[in-house]
Amino acid sequence: MKIQIHSGQNQIGGSIIEISTDNTKVIFDAGVNLDESDEDEIEVPQIDGLFCGEALYDAVFVSHYHGDHVGLLPYVLEEIPIYMGRQAANIVKAASEYRGKNIEYYYRCFEDGQELQIGELSVTPIMCDHSAYDSFMFLIEADDKKILYSGDFRSNGRMEFANLLKRISMVDVLVIEGTTLTRETYMENIQEELLEDIAEDVLNRYSGPAFLMTSAMNVERIITGYNASRAANRIFLEDLYTAGIMSAIDGNVPVPEKENGIRVFMTGGDRQYELIQRYPDSKFAKAAIAKEKFLMCIRPSMKNYLKKLNEICPFNDGVLFYGMWKGYLEREDMQEFIAFMENIGVKIHILHTSGHADVNAINALVEVARPKYIIPVHTENPDWYTKYDVKIILDDKELHI
């Protein structure tokens, strides 16, 4: 087998990893670089047979739905099948429908542990925990050789990390992320469930409205907010985007239901009026919201809606949980929104933990995989891996085994 890192080495994001034999070529993830947030900024790498020319690849496998892993999928030649987890595909579809867009590629779905034979390669998805729901590692096998691609993973979510490690056996090559290794200090991640206790405690100390700002696709953080709201005897308010994502998932997530204390609100517009009809028993107007103690999912784009809500529901002694990467706080639009909320009486509390493996999780995975080679990806500190007594591929873009 041959491993070629087209993109994603010595950087965070933009992952494009090729694993091939003489007769089979498969790509794992096709992401944009982190600074390519706008479609006009995307530079599609001219990889022959993948994005241009005649199709030369047999499949593309997606570890999870974050843009730095899927942002280039619309540019994959249409003859090449794209595989992703079934729940992840449902989430991507729901997000696209909310935005009034059609997914620009056709995908096939796989399930956890389902071995797929792609030409001469056997590919087995192994579900792992990440800040994207339905995330996977991949075990790739051919000619008695084994490669494990970690995707993005962590050990501090609700999934039991020990159970994941039991599914990992010795491999020849470990292609592994190291996002958190760029931090100045290597800290152990806070457990996601501990955030629930923190949020509940904070909610009980504030008498005013409460808000949660996080990505609707960070399903675990939405669950954290919901559980904390119920423990603090508040209703949980989902905007239509969040409600659509939750409703697309076949699992134990906060789907809008009146009896479970989950209600849906709209912020305006004909399109939103149409969408909220999907939740006849759960929809909640501003006048009704103003009479309740609640925890509301919000985004900076809701500023005008929040201004109107504040006119009938004072935000004094209110709290906003910021549940996103701290780097976003440096953006001008985020700073303006935070200042707006503080000016109308809302205190800001950070409620976040990393979606990426800390040092302990990385060490544990390396220990059970016992690779002969390690290829660091999705990290700006690949030299960190040289501490292991294995061969580290840092600069060469290809490895033959």
Side-chain angles (χ1 to χ4, degrees):
M1 284 191 286
K2 182 182 78 171
I3 306 167
Q4 181 175 0
I5 311 300
H6 290 280
S7 177
Q9 203 167 27
N10 302 311
Q11 67 181 50
I12 295 175
S15 299
I16 307 174
I17 298 164
E18 176 183 333
I19 298 177
S20 62
T21 64
D22 289 340
N23 300 302
T24 305
K25 300 172 72 173
V26 174
I27 291 289
F28 293 86
D29 290 335
V32 297
N33 294 324
L34 289 179
D35 57 356
E36 296 176 334
S37 57
D38 191 289
E39 290 183 4
D40 295 334
E41 299 173 349
I42 295 176
E43 293 186 13
V44 181
Q46 295 304 294
I47 301 175
D48 186 45
L50 181 63
F51 300 118
C52 58
E54 296 183 5
L56 299 176
Y57 288 84
D58 297 282
V60 174
F61 279 81
V62 175
S63 64
H64 63 282
Y65 49 67
H66 285 158
D68 58 334
H69 293 257
V70 302
L72 293 176
L73 290 184
Y75 306 97
V76 171
L77 296 173
E78 61 181 11
E79 297 90 346
I80 302 172
I82 296 171
Y83 293 83
M84 68 174 64
R86 181 173 61 87
Q87 300 276 30
N90 289 341
I91 290 171
V92 171
K93 181 180 179 181
S96 297
E97 287 181 349
Y98 176 83
R99 298 185 179 101
K101 297 182 178 180
N102 293 321
I103 296 176
E104 298 175 338
Y105 52 86
Y106 173 76
Y107 54 83
R108 304 179 185 184
C109 297
F110 57 71
E111 300 286 350
D112 180 30
Q114 175 190 5
E115 182 178 346
L116 294 153
Q117 192 68 37
I118 309 294
E120 296 175 340
L121 292 175
S122 167
V123 181
T124 304
I126 303 171
M127 186 177 289
C128 62
D129 200 297
H130 180 45
S131 51
Y133 197 76
D134 205 34
S135 292
F136 292 89
M137 298 181 177
F138 294 107
L139 176 66
I140 304 98
E141 301 174 86
D143 299 327
D144 296 324
K145 300 292 186 180
K146 295 183 179 181
I147 299 168
L148 181 67
Y149 169 45
S150 75
D152 290 356
F153 73 103
R154 65 178 181 174
S155 62
N156 54 305
R158 288 183 174 82
M159 292 179 62
E160 186 59 54
F161 189 57
N163 291 339
L164 170 66
L165 295 178
K166 291 176 182 177
R167 302 178 64 186
I168 306 300
S169 58
M170 293 176 59
V171 299
D172 295 280
V173 182
L174 176 61
V175 183
I176 184 171
E177 74 131 315
T179 308
T180 65
L181 302 179
T182 56
R183 296 175 181 172
E184 293 181 1
T185 57
Y186 305 133
M187 299 176 61
E188 184 176 353
N189 288 337
I190 298 172
Q191 294 293 315
E192 184 73 41
E193 290 182 328
L194 179 58
L195 296 185
E196 291 182 16
D197 298 332
I198 295 171
E200 180 188 353
D201 178 67
V202 172
L203 287 173
N204 287 329
R205 289 191 277 114
Y206 286 85
S207 61
F211 307 91
L212 173 62
M213 185 159 56
T214 190
S215 168
M217 286 190 167
N218 189 345
V219 177
E220 292 297 314
R221 194 62 39 79
I222 299 297
I223 293 173
T224 291
Y226 169 68
N227 289 344
S229 72
R230 300 312 295 150
N233 295 313
R234 292 175 181 251
I235 64 170
F236 190 64
L237 294 171
E238 295 180 355
D239 62 286
L240 282 165
Y241 179 56
T242 302
I245 298 295
M246 297 303 112
S247 299
I249 297 171
D250 180 17
N252 188 23
V253 300
V255 176
E257 292 179 352
K258 182 178 179 180
E259 56 269 28
N260 291 336
I262 306 172
R263 309 301 284 269
V264 183
F265 67 97
M266 58 176 283
T267 57
D270 294 340
R271 171 64 174 161
Q272 292 219 342
Y273 181 79
E274 175 187 338
L275 290 174
I276 205 166
Q277 305 311 315
R278 298 178 180 180
Y279 311 98
D281 299 326
S282 303
K283 58 184 180 180
F284 227 34
K286 283 197 292 289
I289 291 172
K291 299 176 183 178
E292 300 281 353
K293 293 192 69 175
F294 59 80
L295 175 58
M296 172 185 280
C297 298
I298 62 170
R299 296 186 299 280
S301 60
M302 296 179 185
K303 184 176 178 180
N304 288 336
Y305 172 84
L306 293 170
K307 283 182 179 179
K308 295 176 182 178
L309 179 62
N310 184 45
E311 292 174 359
I312 59 174
C313 175
F315 290 0
N316 298 332
D317 202 34
V319 59
L320 165 62
F321 293 114
Y322 179 85
M324 305 173 73
W325 178 50
K326 291 183 180 180
Y328 293 138
L329 289 171
E330 299 176 2
R331 293 181 358 189
E332 184 177 352
D333 60 336
M334 186 66 75
Q335 291 176 355
E336 290 178 356
F337 181 75
I338 294 296
F340 158 72
M341 294 296 284
E342 289 178 326
N343 288 338
I344 53 179
V346 178
K347 299 295 184 182
I348 311 300
H349 280 259
I350 303 296
L351 190 73
H352 185 60
T353 187
S354 180
H356 295 273
D358 58 20
V359 169
N360 292 337
I362 291 171
N363 284 333
L365 184 62
V366 172
E367 182 177 347
V368 297
R370 298 183 184 180
K372 299 173 184 175
Y373 297 88
I374 289 178
I375 302 179
V377 295
H378 212 283
T379 183
E380 294 175 343
N381 188 15
D383 290 332
W384 183 90
Y385 287 94
T386 58
K387 71 172 193 168
Y388 297 113
D389 187 23
V390 300
K391 295 180 180 178
I392 311 296
I393 309 300
L394 296 176
D395 300 315
D396 296 331
K397 295 297 181 80
E398 294 185 15
L399 172 66
H400 296 261
I401 59 170

